[in-house]
Amino acid sequence: ICLERKEKEAQKIREKKRRQQLLLEYPGMVEQITVLLESGMTIRRAWKQMIGREPDRGHPDRICLSEMQVTYREIQEGRGEREAYERFGNRIGLLPYRRFSSVLTQNLLKGTRDMQQILRKEAAEALEMRKNQAKKAGEEAGTKMLFPMLVMLLLILMILLLPALAGL
């Protein structure tokens, strides 16, 4: 029972890290797609261009990039673009990615002219979201450091007070 519970906890931690990593990758991915689409590429070609690049040296295991590769393979195997992009959003399961995939599918269905504008707005919102996440992580780090700092303060006080008390 304990091993099973430990495995469930480990699974929750892995899922939390995966979600955090995906949320960190989102603004950059949207920005890159937007730039490629503004240069005149189609969605499919921009998608291919994104997955054709090598992953960053700092992030060799980019989850978003691997999900994009799965989506591109689905398209190559004959699945419709619209359905593949919808599955991309559903597979990741996070709201920003679902919004992004719905923008792409809407463009394929209706051919919206101002898609770049919508994606620019989405990229700006994603960047703001990332800033908020960084603030939250900083606050959490400060809270985690509070206890060790208090212990160090007590040790320093003891080091200073013990010789003074021993001299009395």
Side-chain angles (χ1 to χ4, degrees), residues 43-44 47 67-68 70-92 97-98 100-109:
I43 296 173
R44 188 176 190 171
W47 200 272
E67 291 294 337
M68 289 177 78
V70 169
T71 301
Y72 190 72
R73 264 191 310 249
E74 286 178 352
I75 293 170
Q76 285 182 322
E77 292 171 357
R79 188 177 304 273
E81 272 187 78
R82 191 181 109 248
E83 185 181 351
Y85 297 141
E86 285 174 354
R87 287 171 53 97
F88 170 76
N90 291 336
R91 200 170 38 247
I92 291 178
Y97 284 93
R98 286 184 178 175
F100 175 72
S101 68
S102 74
V103 167
L104 294 180
T105 56
Q106 259 185 349
N107 181 56
L108 290 172
L109 288 174

Side-chain angles (χ1 to χ4, degrees), residues 52-141:
R53 296 180 182 169
E54 294 217 11
D56 296 341
R57 296 271 188 260
H59 301 285
D61 55 342
R62 290 182 55 188
I63 302 168
C64 178
L65 189 62
S66 63
E67 291 294 337
M68 289 177 78
Q69 288 171 339
V70 169
T71 301
Y72 190 72
R73 264 191 310 249
E74 286 178 352
I75 293 170
Q76 285 182 322
E77 292 171 357
R79 188 177 304 273
E81 272 187 78
R82 191 181 109 248
E83 185 181 351
Y85 297 141
E86 285 174 354
R87 287 171 53 97
F88 170 76
N90 291 336
R91 200 170 38 247
I92 291 178
L94 297 172
L95 183 63
Y97 284 93
R98 286 184 178 175
R99 247 190 342 249
F100 175 72
S101 68
S102 74
V103 167
L104 294 180
T105 56
Q106 259 185 349
N107 181 56
L108 290 172
L109 288 174
K110 299 177 182 176
T112 55
R113 287 177 285 162
D114 52 328
M115 186 179 88
Q116 281 96 4
Q117 202 172 30
I118 294 170
L119 286 176
R120 277 275 171 218
K121 182 180 175 188
E122 183 68 27
E125 288 175 7
L127 190 59
E128 190 64 35
M129 182 179 65
R130 186 170 180 178
K131 287 179 188 177
N132 291 336
Q133 285 176 331
K135 283 181 185 178
K136 183 179 176 184
E139 291 170 358
E140 288 175 1

Side-chain angles (χ1 to χ4, degrees), residues 129-162:
M129 182 179 65
R130 186 170 180 178
K131 287 179 188 177
N132 291 336
Q133 285 176 331
K135 283 181 185 178
K136 183 179 176 184
E139 291 170 358
E140 288 175 1
T143 304
K144 288 179 183 178
M145 292 301 295
L146 188 60
F147 180 72
M149 288 176 24
L150 286 174
V151 170
M152 288 175 53
L153 177 67
L154 291 175
L155 286 173
I156 291 171
L157 286 175
M158 286 175 50
I159 290 170
L160 293 174
L161 291 178
L162 284 178

